[in-house]
């Protein structure tokens, strides 16, 4: 079975940086695609970024493009989310997710298409 454990959340000032990590256990067959979602209080869960195992294409929400970078260490079966130039609007609980590959990229933006989820890590950006 697959388990995902996030780490790296915390409190930072606007303009600062954080790096989130998501360690996966259970092999890569069930984690061909890994992504990050976030949810702020009173708002729906929002797609942030995703990365495929092979080819390692990446996908980003428009709100984070150019500021966040998703990467993957296949040897460690770990996904990272480097977050730079953080804004107060980025404050949310960030959750790691894993799932299968799909034939169309739009599927990677949909949370229901991910099979496994971590418990989430809080990111708070102060102004």
């Amino acid at each position: 079975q697959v388990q995902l454990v996030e780490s790296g959340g915390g409190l930072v000032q606007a303009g600062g940086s954080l790096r989130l990590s998501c360690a996966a256990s259970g092999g890569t067959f069930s984690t061909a695609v890994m992504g990050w979602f976030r949810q702020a209080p009173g708002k729906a869960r929002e797609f942030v970024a995703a990365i495929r195992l092979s080819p390692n294409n990446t996908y980003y929400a428009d709100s984070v493009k150019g500021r966040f970078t998703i990467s993957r260490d296949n040897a460690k079966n770990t996904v990272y989310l480097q977050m730079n130039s953080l804004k107060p609007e980025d404050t949310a609980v960030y959750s790691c997710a894993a799932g299968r590959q799909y034939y169309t990229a739009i599927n990677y933006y949909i949370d229901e298409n991910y099979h496994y989820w971590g418990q989430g890590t809080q990111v708070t950006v102060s102004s």
Side-chain angles (χ1 to χ4, degrees), residues 50-116:
I51 186 169
R52 301 197 304 186
L53 175 61
S54 181
N56 61 338
N57 294 337
T58 56
Y59 310 87
Y60 296 94
D62 289 339
S63 59
V64 306
K65 194 173 300 182
R67 299 188 297 119
F68 292 8
T69 302
I70 188 170
S71 60
R72 184 167 186 164
D73 187 332
N74 294 332
K76 297 181 178 180
N77 205 19
T78 299
V79 170
Y80 305 93
L81 184 67
Q82 179 66 45
M83 304 185 294
N84 298 327
S85 302
L86 283 163
K87 306 174 181 179
E89 305 91 271
D90 296 318
T91 296
V93 174
Y94 285 71
S95 299
C96 177
R100 53 160 286 193
Q101 296 186 35
Y102 288 87
Y103 289 106
T104 56
I106 186 64
N107 289 285
Y108 303 140
Y109 296 78
I110 303 171
D111 54 4
E112 289 86 353
N113 289 337
Y114 291 81
H115 309 306
Y116 305 99

